[in-house]
PDB file of all heavy atoms in Angstrom:
ATOM      1  N   ILE A 308      77.076 -68.221 -77.108  1.00 98.00           N
ATOM      2  CA  ILE A 308      75.808 -68.865 -76.808  1.00 98.00           C
ATOM      3  C   ILE A 308      75.741 -69.424 -75.384  1.00 98.00           C
ATOM      4  O   ILE A 308      74.782 -70.070 -75.043  1.00 98.00           O
ATOM      5  CB  ILE A 308      75.465 -69.963 -77.860  1.00 98.00           C
ATOM      6  CG1 ILE A 308      76.702 -70.900 -78.125  1.00 98.00           C
ATOM      7  CG2 ILE A 308      75.021 -69.365 -79.129  1.00 98.00           C
ATOM      8  CD1 ILE A 308      76.690 -72.105 -77.341  1.00 98.00           C
ATOM      9  N   TYR A 309      76.782 -69.137 -74.589  1.00 98.00           N
ATOM     10  CA  TYR A 309      76.883 -69.741 -73.270  1.00 98.00           C
ATOM     11  C   TYR A 309      75.588 -69.444 -72.454  1.00 98.00           C
ATOM     12  O   TYR A 309      75.033 -70.413 -71.857  1.00 98.00           O
ATOM     13  CB  TYR A 309      78.095 -69.175 -72.540  1.00 98.00           C
ATOM     14  CG  TYR A 309      78.274 -69.735 -71.183  1.00 98.00           C
ATOM     15  CD1 TYR A 309      78.847 -71.003 -70.936  1.00 98.00           C
ATOM     16  CD2 TYR A 309      77.866 -69.006 -70.035  1.00 98.00           C
ATOM     17  CE1 TYR A 309      78.992 -71.475 -69.620  1.00 98.00           C
ATOM     18  CE2 TYR A 309      77.976 -69.478 -68.719  1.00 98.00           C
ATOM     19  CZ  TYR A 309      78.570 -70.757 -68.539  1.00 98.00           C
ATOM     20  OH  TYR A 309      78.681 -71.245 -67.290  1.00 98.00           O
ATOM     21  N   ALA A 310      75.152 -68.243 -72.363  1.00 98.00           N
ATOM     22  CA  ALA A 310      74.010 -67.910 -71.482  1.00 98.00           C
ATOM     23  C   ALA A 310      72.791 -68.664 -71.940  1.00 98.00           C
ATOM     24  O   ALA A 310      72.128 -69.319 -71.085  1.00 98.00           O
ATOM     25  CB  ALA A 310      73.779 -66.376 -71.478  1.00 98.00           C
ATOM     26  N   ASP A 311      72.484 -68.602 -73.192  1.00 98.00           N
ATOM     27  CA  ASP A 311      71.233 -69.286 -73.651  1.00 98.00           C
ATOM     28  C   ASP A 311      71.348 -70.812 -73.493  1.00 98.00           C
ATOM     29  O   ASP A 311      70.424 -71.465 -73.100  1.00 98.00           O
ATOM     30  CB  ASP A 311      71.089 -69.034 -75.202  1.00 98.00           C
ATOM     31  CG  ASP A 311      70.733 -67.586 -75.464  1.00 98.00           C
ATOM     32  OD1 ASP A 311      70.379 -66.905 -74.489  1.00 98.00           O
ATOM     33  OD2 ASP A 311      70.866 -67.156 -76.641  1.00 98.00           O
ATOM     34  N   PHE A 312      72.545 -71.317 -73.794  1.00 98.00           N
ATOM     35  CA  PHE A 312      72.755 -72.754 -73.694  1.00 98.00           C
ATOM     36  C   PHE A 312      72.589 -73.241 -72.260  1.00 98.00           C
ATOM     37  O   PHE A 312      71.954 -74.246 -71.944  1.00 98.00           O
ATOM     38  CB  PHE A 312      74.124 -73.140 -74.240  1.00 98.00           C
ATOM     39  CG  PHE A 312      74.436 -74.619 -74.103  1.00 98.00           C
ATOM     40  CD1 PHE A 312      73.962 -75.502 -75.051  1.00 98.00           C
ATOM     41  CD2 PHE A 312      75.191 -75.128 -73.063  1.00 98.00           C
ATOM     42  CE1 PHE A 312      74.189 -76.847 -74.943  1.00 98.00           C
ATOM     43  CE2 PHE A 312      75.449 -76.435 -72.985  1.00 98.00           C
ATOM     44  CZ  PHE A 312      74.977 -77.343 -73.915  1.00 98.00           C
ATOM     45  N   MET A 313      73.135 -72.456 -71.337  1.00 98.00           N
ATOM     46  CA  MET A 313      73.095 -72.898 -69.913  1.00 98.00           C
ATOM     47  C   MET A 313      71.685 -72.865 -69.382  1.00 98.00           C
ATOM     48  O   MET A 313      71.331 -73.685 -68.536  1.00 98.00           O
ATOM     49  CB  MET A 313      74.037 -72.042 -69.041  1.00 98.00           C
ATOM     50  CG  MET A 313      75.491 -72.277 -69.299  1.00 98.00           C
ATOM     51  SD  MET A 313      76.001 -73.986 -69.228  1.00 98.00           S
ATOM     52  CE  MET A 313      75.841 -74.285 -67.458  1.00 98.00           C
ATOM     53  N   VAL A 314      70.855 -71.930 -69.847  1.00 98.00           N
ATOM     54  CA  VAL A 314      69.454 -71.967 -69.446  1.00 98.00           C
ATOM     55  C   VAL A 314      68.796 -73.259 -69.799  1.00 98.00           C
ATOM     56  O   VAL A 314      68.188 -73.938 -68.988  1.00 98.00           O
ATOM     57  CB  VAL A 314      68.693 -70.735 -70.060  1.00 98.00           C
ATOM     58  CG1 VAL A 314      67.188 -70.859 -69.842  1.00 98.00           C
ATOM     59  CG2 VAL A 314      69.203 -69.389 -69.475  1.00 98.00           C
ATOM     60  N   LEU A 315      69.010 -73.632 -71.098  1.00 98.00           N
ATOM     61  CA  LEU A 315      68.428 -74.901 -71.567  1.00 98.00           C
ATOM     62  C   LEU A 315      68.943 -76.066 -70.829  1.00 98.00           C
ATOM     63  O   LEU A 315      68.244 -76.964 -70.419  1.00 98.00           O
ATOM     64  CB  LEU A 315      68.790 -75.043 -73.061  1.00 98.00           C
ATOM     65  CG  LEU A 315      68.049 -74.125 -74.059  1.00 98.00           C
ATOM     66  CD1 LEU A 315      68.644 -74.259 -75.435  1.00 98.00           C
ATOM     67  CD2 LEU A 315      66.540 -74.450 -74.072  1.00 98.00           C
ATOM     68  N   LEU A 316      70.289 -76.091 -70.623  1.00 98.00           N
ATOM     69  CA  LEU A 316      70.905 -77.257 -69.942  1.00 98.00           C
ATOM     70  C   LEU A 316      70.400 -77.432 -68.516  1.00 98.00           C
ATOM     71  O   LEU A 316      70.028 -78.490 -68.075  1.00 98.00           O
ATOM     72  CB  LEU A 316      72.438 -77.102 -69.996  1.00 98.00           C
ATOM     73  CG  LEU A 316      73.296 -78.148 -69.272  1.00 98.00           C
ATOM     74  CD1 LEU A 316      72.958 -79.520 -69.815  1.00 98.00           C
ATOM     75  CD2 LEU A 316      74.785 -77.871 -69.468  1.00 98.00           C
ATOM     76  N   ARG A 317      70.346 -76.337 -67.801  1.00 98.00           N
ATOM     77  CA  ARG A 317      69.902 -76.435 -66.413  1.00 98.00           C
ATOM     78  C   ARG A 317      68.422 -76.791 -66.314  1.00 98.00           C
ATOM     79  O   ARG A 317      68.020 -77.561 -65.441  1.00 98.00           O
ATOM     80  CB  ARG A 317      70.189 -75.103 -65.670  1.00 98.00           C
ATOM     81  CG  ARG A 317      71.679 -74.946 -65.504  1.00 98.00           C
ATOM     82  CD  ARG A 317      72.024 -73.583 -65.046  1.00 98.00           C
ATOM     83  NE  ARG A 317      71.641 -73.342 -63.673  1.00 98.00           N
ATOM     84  CZ  ARG A 317      71.979 -72.238 -63.009  1.00 98.00           C
ATOM     85  NH1 ARG A 317      72.696 -71.293 -63.537  1.00 98.00           N
ATOM     86  NH2 ARG A 317      71.648 -72.110 -61.744  1.00 98.00           N
ATOM     87  N   GLU A 318      67.608 -76.232 -67.235  1.00 98.00           N
ATOM     88  CA  GLU A 318      66.205 -76.631 -67.282  1.00 98.00           C
ATOM     89  C   GLU A 318      66.061 -78.110 -67.476  1.00 98.00           C
ATOM     90  O   GLU A 318      65.298 -78.780 -66.804  1.00 98.00           O
ATOM     91  CB  GLU A 318      65.511 -75.931 -68.452  1.00 98.00           C
ATOM     92  CG  GLU A 318      64.846 -74.607 -68.135  1.00 98.00           C
ATOM     93  CD  GLU A 318      64.353 -73.926 -69.367  1.00 98.00           C
ATOM     94  OE1 GLU A 318      64.130 -74.617 -70.438  1.00 98.00           O
ATOM     95  OE2 GLU A 318      64.225 -72.748 -69.343  1.00 98.00           O
ATOM     96  N   LYS A 319      66.792 -78.635 -68.441  1.00 98.00           N
ATOM     97  CA  LYS A 319      66.671 -80.074 -68.756  1.00 98.00           C
ATOM     98  C   LYS A 319      67.195 -80.971 -67.667  1.00 98.00           C
ATOM     99  O   LYS A 319      66.636 -82.026 -67.365  1.00 98.00           O
ATOM    100  CB  LYS A 319      67.398 -80.357 -70.106  1.00 98.00           C
ATOM    101  CG  LYS A 319      66.695 -79.752 -71.316  1.00 98.00           C
ATOM    102  CD  LYS A 319      67.434 -80.165 -72.573  1.00 98.00           C
ATOM    103  CE  LYS A 319      66.942 -79.328 -73.782  1.00 98.00           C
ATOM    104  NZ  LYS A 319      65.521 -79.374 -74.057  1.00 98.00           N
ATOM    105  N   LEU A 320      68.271 -80.499 -67.033  1.00 98.00           N
ATOM    106  CA  LEU A 320      68.884 -81.331 -66.008  1.00 98.00           C
ATOM    107  C   LEU A 320      67.961 -81.390 -64.785  1.00 98.00           C
ATOM    108  O   LEU A 320      67.876 -82.389 -64.098  1.00 98.00           O
ATOM    109  CB  LEU A 320      70.258 -80.744 -65.594  1.00 98.00           C
ATOM    110  CG  LEU A 320      71.294 -81.713 -65.073  1.00 98.00           C
ATOM    111  CD1 LEU A 320      71.612 -82.792 -66.011  1.00 98.00           C
ATOM    112  CD2 LEU A 320      72.574 -80.958 -64.755  1.00 98.00           C
ATOM    113  N   ALA A 321      67.321 -80.270 -64.518  1.00 97.00           N
ATOM    114  CA  ALA A 321      66.423 -80.171 -63.356  1.00 97.00           C
ATOM    115  C   ALA A 321      65.255 -81.172 -63.383  1.00 97.00           C
ATOM    116  O   ALA A 321      64.715 -81.527 -62.354  1.00 97.00           O
ATOM    117  CB  ALA A 321      65.905 -78.745 -63.209  1.00 97.00           C
ATOM    118  N   VAL A 322      64.871 -81.570 -64.570  1.00 98.00           N
ATOM    119  CA  VAL A 322      63.713 -82.480 -64.677  1.00 98.00           C
ATOM    120  C   VAL A 322      64.097 -83.931 -64.973  1.00 98.00           C
ATOM    121  O   VAL A 322      63.216 -84.729 -65.294  1.00 98.00           O
ATOM    122  CB  VAL A 322      62.666 -81.965 -65.694  1.00 98.00           C
ATOM    123  CG1 VAL A 322      62.084 -80.643 -65.236  1.00 98.00           C
ATOM    124  CG2 VAL A 322      63.296 -81.831 -67.109  1.00 98.00           C
ATOM    125  N   VAL A 323      65.357 -84.263 -64.871  1.00 98.00           N
ATOM    126  CA  VAL A 323      65.799 -85.642 -65.087  1.00 98.00           C
ATOM    127  C   VAL A 323      65.201 -86.535 -63.997  1.00 98.00           C
ATOM    128  O   VAL A 323      65.448 -86.239 -62.758  1.00 98.00           O
ATOM    129  CB  VAL A 323      67.334 -85.758 -65.106  1.00 98.00           C
ATOM    130  CG1 VAL A 323      67.755 -87.208 -64.975  1.00 98.00           C
ATOM    131  CG2 VAL A 323      67.913 -85.122 -66.349  1.00 98.00           C
ATOM    132  N   PRO A 324      64.397 -87.499 -64.304  1.00 98.00           N
ATOM    133  CA  PRO A 324      63.768 -88.344 -63.269  1.00 98.00           C
ATOM    134  C   PRO A 324      64.866 -89.188 -62.591  1.00 98.00           C
ATOM    135  O   PRO A 324      65.477 -90.039 -63.226  1.00 98.00           O
ATOM    136  CB  PRO A 324      62.810 -89.251 -64.022  1.00 98.00           C
ATOM    137  CG  PRO A 324      62.701 -88.679 -65.430  1.00 98.00           C
ATOM    138  CD  PRO A 324      63.964 -87.950 -65.663  1.00 98.00           C
ATOM    139  N   GLN A 325      65.021 -88.902 -61.309  1.00 98.00           N
ATOM    140  CA  GLN A 325      66.050 -89.655 -60.542  1.00 98.00           C
ATOM    141  C   GLN A 325      65.270 -90.470 -59.546  1.00 98.00           C
ATOM    142  O   GLN A 325      64.357 -89.963 -58.861  1.00 98.00           O
ATOM    143  CB  GLN A 325      66.970 -88.688 -59.873  1.00 98.00           C
ATOM    144  CG  GLN A 325      68.119 -89.310 -59.188  1.00 98.00           C
ATOM    145  CD  GLN A 325      69.136 -88.266 -58.750  1.00 98.00           C
ATOM    146  OE1 GLN A 325      68.898 -87.099 -58.645  1.00 98.00           O
ATOM    147  NE2 GLN A 325      70.363 -88.742 -58.426  1.00 98.00           N
ATOM    148  N   GLY A 326      65.667 -91.741 -59.364  1.00 98.00           N
ATOM    149  CA  GLY A 326      64.969 -92.554 -58.364  1.00 98.00           C
ATOM    150  C   GLY A 326      65.160 -94.048 -58.569  1.00 98.00           C
ATOM    151  O   GLY A 326      66.252 -94.479 -58.958  1.00 98.00           O
ATOM    152  N   ASP A 327      64.114 -94.805 -58.299  1.00 98.00           N
ATOM    153  CA  ASP A 327      64.207 -96.275 -58.278  1.00 98.00           C
ATOM    154  C   ASP A 327      64.607 -96.813 -59.694  1.00 98.00           C
ATOM    155  O   ASP A 327      63.898 -96.581 -60.679  1.00 98.00           O
ATOM    156  CB  ASP A 327      62.815 -96.777 -57.941  1.00 98.00           C
ATOM    157  CG  ASP A 327      62.831 -98.280 -57.688  1.00 98.00           C
ATOM    158  OD1 ASP A 327      63.824 -98.956 -58.087  1.00 98.00           O
ATOM    159  OD2 ASP A 327      61.830 -98.840 -57.113  1.00 98.00           O
ATOM    160  N   PRO A 328      65.720 -97.469 -59.794  1.00 98.00           N
ATOM    161  CA  PRO A 328      66.119 -97.977 -61.089  1.00 98.00           C
ATOM    162  C   PRO A 328      65.124 -98.942 -61.698  1.00 98.00           C
ATOM    163  O   PRO A 328      65.130 -99.181 -62.917  1.00 98.00           O
ATOM    164  CB  PRO A 328      67.462 -98.716 -60.803  1.00 98.00           C
ATOM    165  CG  PRO A 328      67.734 -98.576 -59.372  1.00 98.00           C
ATOM    166  CD  PRO A 328      66.687 -97.788 -58.745  1.00 98.00           C
ATOM    167  N   LEU A 329      64.231 -99.495 -60.882  1.00 98.00           N
ATOM    168  CA  LEU A 329      63.252-100.464 -61.424  1.00 98.00           C
ATOM    169  C   LEU A 329      62.091 -99.721 -62.073  1.00 98.00           C
ATOM    170  O   LEU A 329      61.253-100.325 -62.758  1.00 98.00           O
ATOM    171  CB  LEU A 329      62.748-101.322 -60.300  1.00 98.00           C
ATOM    172  CG  LEU A 329      63.790-102.186 -59.576  1.00 98.00           C
ATOM    173  CD1 LEU A 329      63.149-103.164 -58.684  1.00 98.00           C
ATOM    174  CD2 LEU A 329      64.649-102.949 -60.595  1.00 98.00           C
TER     175      LEU A 329
END
Side-chain angles (χ1 to χ4, degrees):
I308 45 97
Y309 178 82
D311 292 344
F312 179 80
M313 289 309 289
V314 170
L315 289 170
L316 176 56
R317 290 168 72 173
E318 266 174 21
K319 290 183 194 301
L320 208 58
V322 295
V323 166
Q325 188 169 16
D327 189 346
L329 301 187

